Amino acid sequence: MDSSSFSGSLAVVGNPNTGKTTLFNALTGLSQKTGNYPGVTVEKKTGTIRLANGQFEALDLPGTYSLAAASPDELVVPSVLHGIQEGAKPVSAILVVADATSLHRNLYLVSQLMELNLPMIMALNMVDLAKESQIVIDLPELSRRLGFPVIATHATRSGGLVELREAIGRVFSQDPPAEPGLFSDFAETRDQLTSDLSGKCKTPIPPTMIFRALFDERGHTARHLKEIYGEDILQDLLTRRAELTEEHGKLIELETRVRYTWIRKLLRDVVSHPELKVVTRSERVDKVLTHKLWGPVTLLIVLTILFQSIYSWAGPLMDLIEGQVGNLGTWIGSFLAEGMLKSLVVDGIIGGVGAVLVFLPQIVLLFFFVAILEDCGYMARAAFLLDRVFSRVGLSGKSLIPLLSSFACAIPGIMATRTIESRADRLTTILVAPLMSCSARLPVYVILISAFLPEKKVLGVFGLQGLVLLMMYMVGIVIAVPVAWLLKRKLLQGNLPPFLMELPSYKIPSSRTVGIRVYQSASAFVKRAGTTIFAVAVLVWALAYFPRPESVRQEHANQRVEATAQRHEARLALLFDYAQDRFPQGTDEQALESILRADKELAGLLDGSMADGTAELTRVVSSWKSLDADYAVAISAIDREEDGAYLRTSYIGRAGQLIEPVVAPLGWDWRIGMAAIASFPAREIIIATLGVIFNLGSDQDESSAELQGALRSAERSDGSPLFNIPVALSIMIFFALCAQCAATLVTIRKETGGWRWAVFSFTYMTTLAYLAAFVVYQVTSALGWGA
Amino acid sequence: MQEVIVFVVVACAALYLGRNIRGMLAGRKSCGSCAARGCSTGQSDKPLPFDV
């Protein structure tokens, strides 16, 4: 939508975990879009709020506790609110979302926002949880003291939304609240400095931003202003800050003290807490879920049930899709003449893309469960448990956020390391983040496990497939721990900074949030199947189909002619023998007559128009049928041999045989090796590539209709099965650990300022993946798992 | 005719993939795998399960 059609722009701001995004989604519906600010980790989300008096643009800004930036990426919120963020329009009003259970802390940010001279409104969220904790808030009095409307909301249950929408409709014509006047002693200095600095810049600097630059002792705001307004302003700022610090002591401490004094006064007689702290339901549940022993046990149980159900429940739908994909191939194939176009459509496109699409039900179930776990607050507990592990290897809790984010995708995870101040910690986190099982790997595991592992029970209860998926999910963490330990100990030494993590309250997952996530995941999967995987399937088909040497065609055409001639000779011999025994053979005419009679009788018996004759006749008919069957087998073998020869002499076949010695120790043949290389653009491509290769043909008897069947019956040249448990595990462990994502490597280059660490990351991960796949294959084979 | 259609389809696939890989290497495009989380250009807007 054109920005000029909006009647105003509303920034949604608040502390982390106050339910901003849920509220934002409830206010804007599904019409939000994402837009990046250049060079920052976090994003803003924009949406439209449609009200009776107009359409308003809403900006969902990242959660923050303060406008004082603790790291460069935290500058987004103050920059947008001050109207100096590149690419962002000025904000006309603020909707601050506050947590009713922690109002005291939330008001710190509110006090800073009130100094921006913008109309404000507050959504006091989680009032139900505050009530449960026996916290009583006098809303009218709070609103009166703050000087702007305060609306009680329950973001997850849409409570208070009507009142909030009405208040938003009015906020743009409302006056800004009165400034708390907490730093009036500094006003003169601020205004003087603003006037001095504005003289040096083409565009005026907002006075409140000058105030922030003075008080931000970490220097991020000052450096940001320098980038926008030029080098000249920095020296003045630093000089003035030094003067103020000498006079008042540390400014950051002063700000904290003054603001909290104001908050205490403001909340006096407005909020009352129970005399004895009420233990909430969340706290009671957390005693178990974050317990040293029961926490990990519960996590394992939850993940086991999750992964088991993916395989148990998705089966019928997968069969349905598989059947439909097969039917589609047959149906489309019936309209096309034999030749390269039919091969491209049936073997290449339907064989490749269809092989991947079959797994859609499992992907949907997987993301459904993950979304529920995230939205109910359980994933935060899982993170808490993980923190204990990582702190032992020398990584701070600050690394935990990027690492957890990497479970979705390594790229935002790596970008999120900007919040880590220690260079050693930051680099270590960047290097281990790609080891986490990202959302791109999970579907690959699901697909590979379905394709390669049998549906066996372990201990009579657990499905083997679900257990292996659980193991694959954990393998990244398990490997990341020693890797981080090694990096921190040998390469990147540094101290462990302190870290505080806040666990959100449990809540019933919002069906809307879960629905949106599942829809986004499923549509992204289908989109990828229709774009990247489609394109790769077409290219792989072309590489596996061409050049189709004439010598191969000629050789097999000769073999077919020979087989046909042999059958003809054998038929004639049978006919002669029969005619000789049954009819008079005196003259040549009699002999010819007897053969023709014998032929007529046999034809009658074979087409069923004549009843069985003598035992002799039945024997001859049986031999005749056997000849035909042998001929069909021989022709089929020649066809397969021809397909196999074409594949071996194709471009992909020749390249594959070159790399086969390298991948053979992992238990792979050239086809798996090529599929792994082809899956560089998107990991799921391994399945599409195998689908194309096995559809196009092989010299083995593996012409099963479905890919999974074809893979299970695939053989090596010595007749042993190609895929067994050791090979499947070897492929999966390789995919779990290798750096098979160009976008991640490019992000590492950007974040570390050069290719050095990107190359290091690629090298160590690929080596690790190769070695791990080698060990897994050799050990499991030695244990007899391949039998 | 078959040859022409096949040539066009393969050429389009190659161009599309080439553009995608170039975009990835230039840092303009993600692999697409993380699109499930609302990530369109290598940055995700997926809210973290918690904040600090």
Side-chain angles (χ1 to χ4, degrees):
Chain A
M1 180 176 287
D2 181 5
S3 60
S4 58
S5 56
F6 290 116
S7 313
S9 173
L10 181 76
V12 183
V13 195
N15 285 187
N17 271 320
T18 48
K20 282 185 311 299
T21 302
T22 312
L23 205 58
F24 173 85
N25 285 339
L27 289 168
T28 57
L30 282 173
S31 56
Q32 75 259 26
K33 61 181 181 185
T34 57
N36 299 334
Y37 287 128
V40 293
T41 308
V42 282
E43 291 179 65
K44 70 179 170 68
K45 212 189 280 177
T46 65
T48 306
I49 304 176
R50 293 183 175 83
L51 300 174
N53 58 337
Q55 297 192 116
F56 303 95
E57 187 182 34
L59 310 178
D60 182 17
L61 293 172
T64 182
Y65 291 111
S66 164
L67 293 184
S71 58
D73 59 308
E74 284 183 21
L75 281 165
V76 175
V77 179
S79 295
V80 170
L81 293 174
H82 284 103
I84 59 168
Q85 175 68 47
E86 190 190 337
K89 291 197 305 292
V91 168
S92 27
I94 296 172
L95 164 62
V96 58
V97 184
D99 177 354
T101 62
S102 322
L103 191 55
H104 186 259
R105 191 193 65 208
N106 283 241
L107 284 176
Y108 189 92
L109 176 66
V110 172
S111 71
Q112 293 176 326
L113 295 173
M114 287 169 74
E115 290 161 356
L116 297 178
N117 202 30
L118 286 167
M120 282 179 71
I121 183 172
M122 180 191 281
L124 191 59
N125 217 350
M126 305 185 191
V127 283
D128 48 341
L129 294 175
K131 200 173 167 189
E132 192 193 323
S133 302
Q134 297 179 17
I135 299 169
V136 181
I137 303 170
D138 183 346
L139 282 188
E141 182 58 19
L142 178 64
S143 173
R144 194 189 65 75
R145 291 188 187 186
L146 286 171
F148 53 83
V150 178
I151 316 290
T153 54
H154 314 250
T156 51
R157 295 181 208 160
S158 305
L161 265 187
V162 176
E163 295 85 344
L164 185 61
R165 290 173 73 84
E166 283 170 5
I168 290 171
R170 292 189 298 268
V171 73
F172 295 96
S173 52
Q174 202 176 283
D175 287 332
E179 260 198 60
L182 304 179
F183 298 94
S184 43
D185 293 352
F186 293 82
E188 196 183 328
T189 311
R190 181 195 66 192
D191 294 342
Q192 182 61 49
L193 190 57
T194 306
S195 157
D196 292 351
L197 295 183
S198 293
K200 296 181 177 180
C201 310
K202 285 177 189 166
T203 49
I205 309 175
T208 43
M209 202 66 187
I210 295 282
F211 177 80
R212 284 261 55 88
L214 282 174
F215 275 71
D216 173 12
E217 289 179 340
R218 297 179 186 93
H220 299 306
T221 313
R223 279 193 291 274
H224 188 50
L225 288 181
K226 185 191 90 179
E227 281 166 20
I228 299 173
Y229 298 102
E231 185 80 34
D232 294 349
I233 67 161
L234 194 60
Q235 197 49 50
D236 282 4
L237 265 173
L238 295 178
T239 312
R240 204 58 64 90
R241 187 197 292 155
E243 289 168 9
L244 290 172
T245 306
E246 201 176 321
E247 192 180 337
H248 299 278
K250 280 182 84 69
L251 296 179
I252 198 162
E253 287 172 9
L254 175 76
E255 182 180 12
T256 310
R257 206 167 48 241
V258 169
R259 291 196 190 279
Y260 274 116
T261 307
W262 175 80
I263 292 168
R264 266 195 300 279
K265 278 185 194 162
L266 183 100
L267 291 183
R268 195 172 296 149
D269 305 326
V270 171
V271 177
S272 67
H273 290 85
E275 281 183 18
L276 285 172
K277 189 182 180 311
V278 176
V279 181
T280 62
R281 237 179 329 187
S282 282
E283 286 166 341
R284 282 198 296 273
V285 175
D286 272 344
K287 279 190 177 168
V288 179
L289 296 189
T290 57
H291 187 268
K292 273 184 181 175
L293 174 66
W294 301 121
V297 169
T298 315
L299 179 63
L300 271 179
I301 293 173
V302 167
L303 291 179
T304 306
I305 294 172
L306 188 157
F307 293 136
Q308 294 287 334
S309 51
I310 289 170
Y311 286 99
S312 316
W313 297 353
L317 260 177
M318 286 178 68
D319 291 344
L320 184 74
I321 297 179
E322 197 161 44
Q324 293 308 314
V325 168
N327 290 342
L328 181 71
T330 314
W331 184 69
I332 292 181
S334 68
F335 292 105
L336 298 168
E338 285 298 329
M340 68 170 74
L341 183 60
K342 182 176 178 179
S343 178
L344 168 66
V345 174
V346 178
D347 301 327
I349 297 170
I350 298 176
V353 177
V356 176
L357 274 183
V358 165
F359 298 94
L360 181 63
Q362 289 183 337
I363 307 302
V364 167
L365 269 178
L366 175 74
F367 284 110
F368 171 72
F369 287 125
V370 170
I372 286 182
L373 287 182
E374 282 180 355
D375 209 45
C376 74
Y378 182 69
M379 285 304 252
R381 274 73 191 176
F384 180 77
L385 297 173
L386 210 61
D387 181 41
R388 287 190 188 142
V389 180
F390 280 105
S391 61
R392 288 195 184 164
V393 296
L395 276 184
S396 79
K398 278 208 166 182
S399 302
L400 195 66
I401 311 304
L403 291 180
L404 265 194
S405 188
S406 300
F407 275 102
C409 175
I411 292 165
I414 289 166
M415 288 179 157
T417 60
R418 288 180 193 180
T419 55
I420 303 172
E421 288 140 20
S422 148
R423 182 180 170 274
D425 260 20
R426 187 169 175 226
L427 267 175
T428 309
T429 313
I430 286 176
L431 293 174
V432 296
L435 287 172
M436 301 297 120
S437 286
C438 66
S439 58
R441 280 195 186 100
L442 268 183
V444 180
Y445 298 151
V446 170
I447 292 170
L448 289 175
I449 289 170
S450 298
F452 302 142
L453 288 180
E455 292 170 27
K456 275 186 187 168
K457 287 277 178 208
V458 177
L459 303 173
V461 186
F462 304 110
L464 174 69
Q465 295 182 326
L467 276 185
V468 173
L469 183 58
L470 174 66
M471 278 164 47
M472 294 315 300
Y473 197 68
M474 308 299 276
V475 80
I477 305 168
V478 172
I479 299 286
V481 171
V483 170
W485 181 82
L486 259 178
L487 288 169
K488 280 286 285 185
R489 199 168 170 91
K490 301 287 177 197
L491 210 59
L492 303 160
Q493 290 159 356
N495 296 326
L496 194 62
F499 173 69
L500 183 71
M501 185 163 78
E502 184 193 348
L503 294 174
S505 300
Y506 289 102
K507 58 175 189 180
I508 296 169
S510 148
S511 54
R512 185 192 183 91
T513 307
V514 173
I516 290 171
R517 293 239 184 109
V518 171
Y519 170 76
Q520 284 175 339
S521 311
S523 56
F525 184 77
V526 172
K527 190 180 165 200
R528 204 155 60 250
T531 51
T532 313
I533 292 174
F534 178 95
V536 174
V538 168
L539 282 187
V540 168
W541 171 85
L543 292 173
Y545 189 85
F546 295 110
R548 288 185 104 70
E550 175 59 20
S551 57
V552 172
R553 194 198 66 75
Q554 191 59 53
E555 183 191 333
H556 291 87
N558 291 344
Q559 284 179 17
R560 277 190 204 91
V561 168
E562 204 175 307
T564 310
Q566 277 173 2
R567 181 181 68 155
H568 199 60
E569 264 178 40
R571 276 178 165 185
L572 276 177
L574 199 65
L575 206 58
F576 277 131
D577 286 351
Y578 175 65
Q580 234 168 9
D581 294 347
R582 193 162 165 75
F583 303 112
Q585 301 285 316
T587 61
D588 283 354
E589 286 77 16
Q590 278 178 327
L592 183 62
E593 178 68 19
S594 65
I595 287 170
L596 288 173
R597 282 177 67 189
D599 188 42
K600 198 174 173 187
E601 273 186 23
L602 271 173
L605 282 166
L606 287 166
D607 68 14
S609 60
M610 260 178 77
D612 275 358
T614 60
E616 173 62 9
L617 197 56
T618 309
R619 185 191 64 74
V620 172
V621 168
S622 167
S623 301
W624 188 276
K625 284 182 178 170
S626 166
L627 271 180
D628 280 355
D630 289 349
Y631 174 72
V633 169
I635 290 294
S636 170
I638 293 169
D639 286 349
R640 281 200 309 277
E641 161 59 28
E642 185 180 28
D643 288 344
Y646 275 135
L647 196 60
R648 280 195 305 277
T649 53
S650 68
Y651 298 120
I652 206 169
R654 290 178 205 175
Q657 284 158 59
L658 271 181
I659 62 147
E660 194 165 54
V662 180
V663 297
L666 313 182
W668 306 1
D669 79 339
W670 70 265
R671 291 169 290 189
I672 306 175
M674 286 313 291
I677 292 173
S679 53
F680 182 75
R683 289 181 165 97
E684 296 90 323
I685 284 170
I686 185 173
I687 297 298
T689 309
L690 289 173
V692 174
I693 290 178
F694 281 89
N695 263 353
L696 265 181
S698 162
D699 47 359
Q700 306 298 334
D701 183 15
E702 51 208 31
S703 51
S704 171
E706 298 92 23
L707 175 64
Q708 292 182 48
L711 297 181
R712 283 178 190 153
S713 57
E715 290 178 353
R716 296 173 193 276
S717 49
D718 63 1
S720 61
L722 175 59
F723 289 101
N724 52 22
I725 294 179
V727 173
L729 291 177
S730 152
I731 297 172
M732 278 186 285
I733 202 84
F734 185 86
F735 269 77
L737 302 178
C738 72
Q740 211 172 15
C741 180
T744 301
L745 293 173
V746 170
T747 309
I748 294 177
R749 180 186 68 84
K750 273 186 178 173
E751 292 297 309
T752 56
W755 279 107
R756 186 178 153 215
W757 288 108
V759 170
F760 176 81
S761 183
F762 177 79
T763 312
Y764 104 80
M765 284 183 70
T766 309
T767 311
L768 189 67
Y770 186 89
L771 289 177
F774 174 76
V775 170
V776 163
Y777 174 71
Q778 299 296 341
V779 170
T780 50
S781 296
L783 289 171
W785 291 16
Chain B
M1 189 59 190
Q2 277 202 26
E3 285 84 347
V4 175
I5 297 172
V6 168
F7 176 78
V8 170
V9 173
V10 173
C12 289
L15 283 175
Y16 175 81
L17 212 60
R19 205 188 58 174
N20 261 20
I21 292 174
R22 249 197 355 259
M24 268 198 274
L25 291 175
R28 288 192 309 270
K29 272 178 178 289
S30 75
C31 57
S33 301
C34 49
R37 302 301 180 112
C39 171
S40 51
T41 53
Q43 294 181 1
S44 172
D45 74 330
K46 179 195 163 290
L48 293 169
F50 61 91
D51 294 279
V52 289

